[in-house]
Amino acid sequence: MVTLMNDIQSDQERPKDKLIVATAALCGCFGCHMSLLDIDERILQLVELVEFDRTPLTDIKTVGKCDIGLIEGGVANVDNVEVLREFRNNCDVLVAVGACAVNGGVPTMRNQFEIKECLEEAYIHGIGVENPHVPNDVEIPLLLDKVHPIHEVVRVDYFLPGCPPGADTIWLFLTEVIAGNAVNFPYSLIHYD
Ligand code: SF4
């Protein structure tokens, strides 16, 4: 964690009172972002400590220079790759939040099938499908052959496992990092049975 704070504090070009945090949801279910919101009223303490850049909370669409980037979800399409690289280029510290970002999680269940099979199941053979056809529009990002955990695409500094990591886990991580302390999770926050 010393490394983390050194990364952050060495950024002398951007003097500021608060750390800047950005978050993104790639191929996930937004459950990890919901877990962040589950810190409840502590969100008021958090906004005293950090300023949010791009997040689904601010609805800012592009990421600027940040101290900490929190990434939810695996990498499933070309848009996910682009967003992830943008975060890596702009964030001093990048954190994989949740099982999908850490190891691909639930979205990797499609990896055992060909893309064609997945598309046909979703758009043609799926229950309740009307007007069955596979959409083909430039606005729809191309799927990758497989879903990847984010560390297979960019360098990742920290991993917060869990599906999702609990609010208390995220809270402890963020507050300790912001305070410049090493993070020592009690067992109650890092067991998943
Ligand atoms: Fe959703 Fe779990 Fe993946 Fe987080 S780790 S995005 S909660 S499925």
Side-chain angles (χ1 to χ4, degrees), residues 6-85:
N6 285 345
D7 287 345
I8 292 171
Q9 290 169 346
S10 66
D11 189 357
Q12 299 297 327
E13 294 174 8
R14 291 184 292 118
K16 55 188 176 293
D17 297 321
K18 296 180 177 180
L19 296 187
I20 299 178
V21 175
T23 77
L26 306 180
C27 184
C29 72
F30 272 88
C32 291
H33 275 79
M34 292 300 106
S35 196
L36 171 60
L37 293 181
D38 280 343
I39 64 175
D40 297 328
E41 68 275 10
R42 289 173 290 185
I43 195 90
L44 298 175
Q45 287 174 252
L46 189 59
V47 295
E48 292 296 320
L49 299 171
V50 305
E51 187 176 317
F52 284 106
D53 189 84
R54 173 184 169 156
T55 81
L57 311 176
T58 58
D59 207 27
I60 296 172
K61 303 298 185 192
T62 57
V63 63
K65 287 293 178 191
C66 292
D67 296 298
I68 304 173
L70 305 174
I71 302 291
E72 165 190 330
V75 184
N77 62 41
V78 293
D79 182 65
N80 295 158
V81 174
E82 192 177 318
V83 170
L84 184 55
R85 286 181 174 157

Coordinates of all heavy atoms in Angstrom, one line a residue, residues 6-85:
N6 N 2.6 6.3 -2.7 CA 3.6 6.9 -3.4 C 3.2 7.3 -4.8 O 3.5 8.4 -5.4 CB 4.9 6.0 -3.5 CG 5.6 6.0 -2.2 OD1 5.3 6.8 -1.3 ND2 6.4 5.0 -2.0
D7 N 2.5 6.4 -5.5 CA 2.0 6.7 -6.8 C 1.1 7.9 -6.8 O 1.2 8.8 -7.7 CB 1.1 5.5 -7.3 CG 1.9 4.3 -7.7 OD1 3.1 4.4 -7.8 OD2 1.3 3.2 -7.8
I8 N 0.3 8.0 -5.8 CA -0.7 9.1 -5.8 C 0.1 10.4 -5.4 O -0.1 11.4 -6.1 CB -1.8 8.8 -4.7 CG1 -2.6 7.7 -5.2 CG2 -2.6 10.1 -4.5 CD1 -3.6 7.2 -4.2
Q9 N 0.9 10.3 -4.4 CA 1.5 11.6 -3.9 C 2.6 12.1 -4.8 O 3.0 13.3 -4.8 CB 2.1 11.3 -2.5 CG 0.9 11.2 -1.5 CD 1.4 10.7 -0.1 OE1 2.5 10.2 0.0 NE2 0.5 10.8 0.8
S10 N 3.1 11.2 -5.7 CA 4.2 11.7 -6.6 C 3.6 12.5 -7.7 O 4.3 13.1 -8.5 CB 4.9 10.4 -7.2 OG 4.0 9.7 -8.0
D11 N 2.3 12.5 -7.8 CA 1.7 13.3 -8.9 C 1.7 14.8 -8.5 O 0.7 15.3 -8.1 CB 0.3 12.8 -9.2 CG -0.3 13.4 -10.4 OD1 0.3 14.3 -11.0 OD2 -1.4 13.1 -10.8
Q12 N 2.8 15.4 -8.6 CA 3.0 16.8 -8.1 C 2.3 17.8 -9.1 O 2.1 19.0 -8.7 CB 4.4 17.1 -8.0 CG 5.2 16.3 -7.0 CD 4.6 16.4 -5.6 OE1 4.2 17.5 -5.2 NE2 4.6 15.4 -4.8
E13 N 2.0 17.4 -10.3 CA 1.5 18.3 -11.2 C 0.0 18.7 -11.0 O -0.5 19.6 -11.6 CB 1.6 17.7 -12.6 CG 3.0 17.5 -13.1 CD 3.1 16.8 -14.4 OE1 2.0 16.6 -15.0 OE2 4.2 16.4 -14.8
R14 N -0.7 17.9 -10.1 CA -2.1 18.2 -9.9 C -2.4 18.4 -8.4 O -3.0 17.6 -7.8 CB -2.9 17.0 -10.4 CG -2.9 16.9 -11.9 CD -3.8 15.8 -12.4 NE -3.4 14.5 -12.0 CZ -4.0 13.7 -11.2 NH1 -5.2 14.0 -10.7 NH2 -3.6 12.5 -10.9
P15 N -1.9 19.6 -7.9 CA -2.2 19.8 -6.5 C -3.7 19.9 -6.2 O -4.4 20.6 -7.0 CB -1.5 21.2 -6.2 CG -1.4 21.8 -7.5 CD -1.2 20.7 -8.5
K16 N -4.2 19.3 -5.2 CA -5.6 19.3 -4.9 C -5.8 18.8 -3.5 O -5.0 18.2 -2.9 CB -6.3 18.4 -5.9 CG -5.8 17.0 -6.0 CD -6.4 16.2 -7.1 CE -5.8 14.8 -7.2 NZ -4.4 14.8 -7.6
D17 N -7.0 19.1 -3.0 CA -7.3 18.7 -1.7 C -7.8 17.3 -1.6 O -7.6 16.6 -0.7 CB -8.4 19.7 -1.1 CG -7.8 21.1 -1.0 OD1 -6.7 21.2 -0.6 OD2 -8.6 22.0 -1.3
K18 N -8.6 17.0 -2.6 CA -9.2 15.6 -2.6 C -8.6 14.7 -3.7 O -8.2 15.2 -4.7 CB -10.7 15.8 -2.9 CG -11.5 16.6 -1.9 CD -13.0 16.7 -2.3 CE -13.8 17.4 -1.3 NZ -15.2 17.4 -1.7
L19 N -8.7 13.4 -3.4 CA -8.3 12.5 -4.4 C -9.4 12.4 -5.4 O -10.6 12.6 -5.0 CB -8.1 11.1 -3.8 CG -6.9 11.0 -2.8 CD1 -6.7 9.5 -2.4 CD2 -5.6 11.5 -3.4
I20 N -9.1 12.1 -6.6 CA -10.1 12.0 -7.7 C -10.3 10.5 -8.0 O -9.4 9.8 -8.2 CB -9.7 12.8 -8.9 CG1 -9.5 14.2 -8.6 CG2 -10.7 12.6 -10.0 CD1 -9.1 15.1 -9.7
V21 N -11.6 10.1 -8.0 CA -12.0 8.7 -8.1 C -12.9 8.6 -9.3 O -13.8 9.4 -9.5 CB -12.7 8.2 -6.9 CG1 -13.2 6.7 -7.1 CG2 -11.7 8.2 -5.7
A22 N -12.6 7.6 -10.2 CA -13.5 7.3 -11.3 C -13.9 5.9 -11.2 O -13.1 5.0 -10.7 CB -12.8 7.6 -12.6
T23 N -15.1 5.6 -11.7 CA -15.5 4.2 -11.7 C -16.2 3.8 -13.0 O -16.7 4.7 -13.7 CB -16.6 3.8 -10.6 OG1 -17.8 4.4 -11.0 CG2 -16.2 4.5 -9.3
A24 N -16.1 2.6 -13.4 CA -16.8 2.1 -14.7 C -17.3 0.7 -14.5 O -16.7 -0.1 -13.8 CB -15.8 2.1 -15.8
A25 N -18.4 0.5 -15.1 CA -19.0 -0.9 -15.2 C -18.8 -1.4 -16.6 O -19.3 -0.8 -17.6 CB -20.4 -0.9 -14.8
L26 N -18.0 -2.4 -16.7 CA -17.8 -3.1 -18.1 C -18.9 -4.1 -18.2 O -20.1 -3.9 -18.1 CB -16.4 -3.6 -18.2 CG -15.2 -2.6 -17.9 CD1 -13.9 -3.2 -18.1 CD2 -15.4 -1.4 -18.8
C27 N -18.5 -5.4 -18.4 CA -19.5 -6.5 -18.5 C -19.8 -7.0 -17.1 O -19.1 -8.0 -16.7 CB -19.0 -7.6 -19.5 SG -20.2 -8.9 -19.7
G28 N -20.6 -6.3 -16.4 CA -21.0 -6.7 -15.1 C -22.5 -6.4 -14.9 O -23.2 -6.1 -15.9
C29 N -23.0 -6.5 -13.7 CA -24.5 -6.4 -13.5 C -24.8 -5.1 -12.7 O -25.9 -4.9 -12.3 CB -25.0 -7.6 -12.8 SG -24.5 -7.6 -11.1
F30 N -23.8 -4.3 -12.5 CA -23.9 -3.1 -11.7 C -24.0 -3.4 -10.2 O -24.2 -2.5 -9.4 CB -25.0 -2.1 -12.1 CG -24.6 -1.2 -13.2 CD1 -24.7 -1.5 -14.5 CD2 -24.1 0.1 -12.9 CE1 -24.3 -0.6 -15.5 CE2 -23.7 1.0 -13.9 CZ -23.8 0.6 -15.2
G31 N -24.0 -4.7 -9.9 CA -24.1 -5.1 -8.5 C -22.9 -4.5 -7.6 O -23.1 -4.2 -6.5
C32 N -21.7 -4.4 -8.2 CA -20.6 -3.9 -7.5 C -20.8 -2.4 -7.2 O -20.4 -1.9 -6.2 CB -19.3 -4.1 -8.2 SG -18.8 -5.9 -8.3
H33 N -21.3 -1.7 -8.2 CA -21.6 -0.3 -7.9 C -22.7 -0.1 -6.9 O -22.7 0.8 -6.1 CB -22.1 0.4 -9.2 CG -20.9 0.9 -10.1 ND1 -20.2 0.1 -10.9 CD2 -20.4 2.2 -10.2 CE1 -19.2 0.8 -11.5 NE2 -19.3 2.1 -11.1
M34 N -23.7 -1.0 -6.9 CA -24.8 -1.0 -5.9 C -24.2 -1.2 -4.5 O -24.6 -0.6 -3.6 CB -25.8 -2.1 -6.2 CG -26.7 -1.8 -7.5 SD -27.6 -0.3 -7.4 CE -26.7 0.8 -8.5
S35 N -23.2 -2.1 -4.5 CA -22.5 -2.4 -3.2 C -21.8 -1.1 -2.7 O -21.8 -0.9 -1.5 CB -21.5 -3.6 -3.4 OG -21.2 -4.1 -2.1
L36 N -21.2 -0.4 -3.6 CA -20.6 0.9 -3.2 C -21.6 1.8 -2.6 O -21.4 2.4 -1.5 CB -19.9 1.6 -4.4 CG -19.4 3.0 -4.2 CD1 -18.4 3.0 -3.1 CD2 -18.8 3.5 -5.5
L37 N -22.8 1.8 -3.2 CA -23.9 2.7 -2.7 C -24.4 2.2 -1.3 O -25.0 2.9 -0.5 CB -25.0 2.8 -3.7 CG -24.7 3.6 -5.0 CD1 -25.9 3.6 -5.9 CD2 -24.2 5.0 -4.7
D38 N -24.2 0.9 -1.1 CA -24.6 0.3 0.2 C -23.8 0.8 1.4 O -24.1 0.4 2.5 CB -24.6 -1.2 0.1 CG -25.7 -1.8 -0.6 OD1 -26.8 -1.1 -0.8 OD2 -25.7 -3.0 -1.0
I39 N -22.8 1.6 1.1 CA -22.2 2.3 2.3 C -23.1 3.3 3.0 O -22.8 3.8 4.0 CB -20.8 3.0 1.9 CG1 -21.0 4.1 1.0 CG2 -19.8 2.0 1.4 CD1 -19.8 4.9 0.7
D40 N -24.3 3.5 2.3 CA -25.3 4.3 2.9 C -24.9 5.7 3.2 O -24.2 6.3 2.4 CB -26.0 3.6 4.1 CG -26.6 2.3 3.7 OD1 -27.1 2.2 2.5 OD2 -26.6 1.3 4.5
E41 N -25.2 6.1 4.5 CA -24.9 7.5 4.8 C -23.4 7.9 4.8 O -23.0 9.0 4.7 CB -25.5 7.9 6.1 CG -24.9 7.3 7.3 CD -25.5 5.9 7.6 OE1 -26.2 5.4 6.8 OE2 -25.2 5.4 8.7
R42 N -22.5 6.8 4.8 CA -21.1 7.1 4.7 C -20.7 7.7 3.4 O -19.6 8.2 3.2 CB -20.3 5.8 5.0 CG -20.4 5.3 6.4 CD -19.8 3.9 6.6 NE -20.6 2.9 5.9 CZ -20.3 1.6 6.0 NH1 -19.2 1.2 6.7 NH2 -21.1 0.7 5.4
I43 N -21.6 7.7 2.4 CA -21.3 8.3 1.1 C -21.1 9.8 1.3 O -20.3 10.4 0.6 CB -22.5 8.1 0.1 CG1 -22.1 8.5 -1.3 CG2 -23.7 8.9 0.5 CD1 -21.5 7.4 -2.1
L44 N -21.7 10.4 2.4 CA -21.5 11.8 2.7 C -20.1 12.0 3.2 O -19.5 13.1 2.9 CB -22.5 12.3 3.7 CG -24.0 12.2 3.3 CD1 -24.9 12.5 4.4 CD2 -24.2 13.1 2.1
Q45 N -19.5 11.1 3.9 CA -18.1 11.2 4.4 C -17.2 11.0 3.2 O -16.2 11.7 3.0 CB -17.8 10.1 5.4 CG -18.4 10.3 6.8 CD -18.1 9.1 7.6 OE1 -19.0 8.3 7.9 NE2 -16.9 8.9 8.0
L46 N -17.6 10.1 2.3 CA -16.8 9.8 1.1 C -16.6 11.1 0.2 O -15.5 11.4 -0.3 CB -17.3 8.6 0.3 CG -16.4 8.1 -0.8 CD1 -15.1 7.6 -0.2 CD2 -17.1 7.0 -1.6
V47 N -17.7 11.8 0.0 CA -17.6 12.9 -0.9 C -16.9 14.1 -0.2 O -16.5 15.0 -0.9 CB -19.0 13.4 -1.4 CG1 -19.7 12.4 -2.2 CG2 -19.9 13.8 -0.2
E48 N -16.7 14.0 1.1 CA -15.8 15.0 1.7 C -14.3 14.6 1.4 O -13.4 15.5 1.5 CB -16.0 15.0 3.3 CG -17.3 15.5 3.7 CD -17.5 17.0 3.4 OE1 -16.5 17.7 3.5 OE2 -18.6 17.4 2.9
L49 N -14.1 13.4 1.1 CA -12.7 12.9 0.9 C -12.3 12.8 -0.5 O -11.1 13.0 -0.8 CB -12.5 11.5 1.6 CG -12.8 11.4 3.1 CD1 -12.8 9.9 3.5 CD2 -11.7 12.2 3.9
V50 N -13.2 12.6 -1.4 CA -12.8 12.4 -2.8 C -13.8 13.2 -3.7 O -14.9 13.6 -3.3 CB -12.9 10.9 -3.2 CG1 -12.1 10.0 -2.3 CG2 -14.4 10.4 -3.3
E51 N -13.3 13.4 -4.9 CA -14.1 14.0 -5.9 C -14.3 13.0 -7.0 O -13.4 12.3 -7.4 CB -13.3 15.2 -6.5 CG -14.1 16.1 -7.5 CD -13.3 17.3 -7.9 OE1 -12.6 17.9 -7.1 OE2 -13.3 17.6 -9.1
F52 N -15.5 12.8 -7.5 CA -15.8 11.8 -8.5 C -15.7 12.4 -9.9 O -16.2 13.4 -10.2 CB -17.2 11.2 -8.3 CG -17.3 10.3 -7.1 CD1 -17.9 10.7 -6.0 CD2 -16.8 9.0 -7.2 CE1 -18.0 9.8 -4.9 CE2 -16.8 8.1 -6.2 CZ -17.5 8.5 -5.0
D53 N -14.9 11.7 -10.7 CA -14.8 12.0 -12.1 C -15.8 11.1 -12.8 O -17.0 11.0 -12.4 CB -13.4 11.7 -12.6 CG -13.1 12.2 -14.0 OD1 -12.7 13.3 -14.2 OD2 -13.2 11.4 -14.9
R54 N -15.4 10.4 -13.9 CA -16.4 9.6 -14.6 C -16.9 8.5 -13.7 O -16.1 7.7 -13.2 CB -15.8 9.0 -15.9 CG -16.7 7.9 -16.5 CD -16.1 7.2 -17.7 NE -16.9 6.1 -18.1 CZ -17.0 5.6 -19.3 NH1 -16.2 6.0 -20.2 NH2 -17.8 4.6 -19.5
T55 N -18.2 8.4 -13.5 CA -18.8 7.3 -12.8 C -20.3 7.2 -13.3 O -20.8 8.2 -13.8 CB -18.9 7.3 -11.3 OG1 -20.0 8.2 -10.9 CG2 -17.6 7.9 -10.7
P56 N -20.9 6.1 -13.1 CA -22.4 6.1 -13.4 C -23.1 7.0 -12.5 O -24.2 7.4 -12.8 CB -22.8 4.6 -13.2 CG -21.5 3.8 -13.3 CD -20.4 4.8 -12.8
L57 N -22.5 7.4 -11.4 CA -23.1 8.3 -10.4 C -23.1 9.7 -10.9 O -24.1 10.5 -10.7 CB -22.4 8.2 -9.1 CG -22.1 6.9 -8.5 CD1 -21.4 7.0 -7.2 CD2 -23.5 6.1 -8.2
T58 N -22.1 10.1 -11.6 CA -22.0 11.5 -12.1 C -22.5 11.6 -13.5 O -22.8 12.7 -14.0 CB -20.5 12.0 -12.1 OG1 -19.7 11.1 -12.9 CG2 -19.9 12.0 -10.7
D59 N -22.5 10.5 -14.2 CA -22.9 10.5 -15.6 C -21.9 11.2 -16.5 O -22.3 11.6 -17.6 CB -24.3 11.0 -15.8 CG -25.0 10.4 -17.0 OD1 -24.7 9.3 -17.4 OD2 -25.9 11.1 -17.6
I60 N -20.7 11.4 -16.0 CA -19.6 12.0 -16.9 C -19.2 10.9 -17.8 O -19.0 9.7 -17.4 CB -18.4 12.5 -16.0 CG1 -18.9 13.6 -15.2 CG2 -17.3 12.9 -16.9 CD1 -17.8 14.1 -14.1
K61 N -19.1 11.2 -19.1 CA -18.9 10.1 -20.1 C -17.4 9.8 -20.4 O -17.1 8.7 -21.0 CB -19.6 10.5 -21.4 CG -21.1 10.7 -21.2 CD -21.8 9.5 -20.7 CE -23.3 9.8 -20.7 NZ -24.1 8.8 -20.0
T62 N -16.5 10.7 -20.1 CA -15.1 10.4 -20.4 C -14.3 10.6 -19.1 O -14.7 11.4 -18.2 CB -14.5 11.4 -21.4 OG1 -14.7 12.7 -21.0 CG2 -15.2 11.2 -22.8
V63 N -13.2 9.8 -19.0 CA -12.4 9.9 -17.8 C -11.3 10.8 -17.9 O -10.6 10.8 -18.9 CB -12.0 8.4 -17.4 CG1 -11.1 7.8 -18.4 CG2 -11.3 8.4 -16.0
G64 N -11.1 11.7 -16.9 CA -9.9 12.6 -16.9 C -8.9 12.0 -16.0 O -8.9 10.8 -15.6
K65 N -7.8 12.8 -15.7 CA -6.8 12.3 -14.8 C -7.3 12.0 -13.4 O -8.0 12.8 -12.8 CB -5.6 13.3 -14.7 CG -4.8 13.4 -16.0 CD -4.0 12.1 -16.2 CE -3.2 12.2 -17.5 NZ -2.7 10.8 -17.9
C66 N -7.0 10.8 -12.9 CA -7.6 10.4 -11.7 C -6.5 9.7 -10.8 O -5.5 9.2 -11.3 CB -8.7 9.3 -11.9 SG -10.2 10.0 -12.7
D67 N -6.8 9.7 -9.5 CA -5.9 9.0 -8.6 C -6.3 7.5 -8.5 O -5.4 6.7 -8.6 CB -6.1 9.6 -7.2 CG -5.6 11.0 -7.2 OD1 -4.4 11.2 -7.4 OD2 -6.4 11.9 -6.9
I68 N -7.6 7.2 -8.5 CA -8.0 5.8 -8.3 C -9.1 5.5 -9.3 O -10.1 6.3 -9.4 CB -8.6 5.6 -6.9 CG1 -7.5 6.0 -5.8 CG2 -9.0 4.1 -6.7 CD1 -8.0 5.9 -4.4
G69 N -9.0 4.5 -10.0 CA -10.0 4.0 -10.9 C -10.6 2.7 -10.4 O -9.8 1.7 -10.1
L70 N -11.9 2.6 -10.3 CA -12.5 1.3 -9.8 C -13.2 0.7 -11.0 O -14.1 1.3 -11.6 CB -13.5 1.6 -8.7 CG -12.9 2.4 -7.5 CD1 -14.1 2.7 -6.5 CD2 -11.9 1.5 -6.7
I71 N -12.9 -0.5 -11.3 CA -13.5 -1.2 -12.5 C -14.3 -2.4 -12.1 O -13.8 -3.3 -11.4 CB -12.4 -1.7 -13.5 CG1 -11.5 -0.5 -13.9 CG2 -13.1 -2.4 -14.7 CD1 -12.2 0.5 -14.8
E72 N -15.6 -2.3 -12.4 CA -16.5 -3.5 -12.3 C -16.6 -4.2 -13.6 O -16.7 -3.5 -14.6 CB -17.9 -3.0 -11.8 CG -18.9 -4.1 -11.9 CD -20.4 -3.5 -11.7 OE1 -20.5 -2.6 -10.9 OE2 -21.3 -4.1 -12.3
G73 N -16.7 -5.5 -13.6 CA -17.1 -6.2 -14.8 C -15.9 -6.7 -15.6 O -14.8 -6.2 -15.5
G74 N -16.2 -7.8 -16.4 CA -15.2 -8.3 -17.2 C -15.1 -7.6 -18.6 O -15.8 -6.6 -18.8
V75 N -14.2 -8.1 -19.4 CA -14.0 -7.4 -20.7 C -14.7 -8.3 -21.8 O -14.1 -9.4 -22.1 CB -12.5 -7.2 -21.0 CG1 -12.3 -6.4 -22.3 CG2 -11.9 -6.5 -19.9
A76 N -15.8 -7.9 -22.4 CA -16.6 -8.7 -23.2 C -16.7 -8.2 -24.7 O -17.0 -8.9 -25.6 CB -18.0 -8.9 -22.7
N77 N -16.4 -6.9 -24.8 CA -16.6 -6.3 -26.2 C -15.5 -5.2 -26.4 O -14.8 -4.8 -25.5 CB -18.0 -5.8 -26.4 CG -18.4 -4.7 -25.4 OD1 -17.6 -3.8 -25.2 ND2 -19.6 -4.8 -24.9
V78 N -15.5 -4.7 -27.6 CA -14.5 -3.7 -28.0 C -14.6 -2.4 -27.2 O -13.7 -1.7 -26.9 CB -14.4 -3.5 -29.5 CG1 -14.0 -4.7 -30.3 CG2 -15.8 -3.0 -30.0
D79 N -15.9 -2.1 -26.9 CA -16.1 -0.9 -26.1 C -15.5 -1.0 -24.7 O -14.9 -0.1 -24.1 CB -17.6 -0.6 -26.0 CG -17.8 0.7 -25.2 OD1 -17.4 1.8 -25.7 OD2 -18.4 0.6 -24.1
N80 N -15.6 -2.2 -24.1 CA -15.0 -2.5 -22.8 C -13.5 -2.3 -22.8 O -12.9 -1.8 -21.9 CB -15.3 -3.9 -22.3 CG -16.8 -4.2 -22.0 OD1 -17.2 -5.4 -22.1 ND2 -17.6 -3.2 -21.8
V81 N -12.9 -2.8 -23.9 CA -11.4 -2.7 -24.1 C -11.0 -1.2 -24.1 O -10.1 -0.8 -23.4 CB -11.0 -3.4 -25.4 CG1 -9.5 -3.1 -25.6 CG2 -11.2 -4.9 -25.3
E82 N -11.8 -0.4 -24.9 CA -11.5 1.0 -25.0 C -11.6 1.7 -23.7 O -10.7 2.5 -23.3 CB -12.4 1.6 -26.1 CG -12.1 3.0 -26.5 CD -13.0 3.4 -27.6 OE1 -13.4 2.7 -28.5 OE2 -13.4 4.6 -27.5
V83 N -12.7 1.5 -23.0 CA -12.9 2.2 -21.7 C -11.8 1.8 -20.7 O -11.2 2.6 -20.0 CB -14.3 1.8 -21.1 CG1 -14.4 2.3 -19.7 CG2 -15.4 2.4 -22.0
L84 N -11.5 0.5 -20.7 CA -10.5 0.0 -19.7 C -9.1 0.6 -20.0 O -8.4 1.0 -19.1 CB -10.4 -1.5 -19.8 CG -9.5 -2.2 -18.8 CD1 -9.8 -1.9 -17.4 CD2 -9.6 -3.8 -19.0
R85 N -8.8 0.7 -21.3 CA -7.5 1.3 -21.6 C -7.5 2.8 -21.3 O -6.5 3.3 -20.8 CB -7.2 1.1 -23.1 CG -6.7 -0.4 -23.4 CD -6.4 -0.6 -24.8 NE -5.9 -1.9 -25.1 CZ -5.9 -2.5 -26.3 NH1 -6.5 -1.9 -27.3 NH2 -5.4 -3.7 -26.4

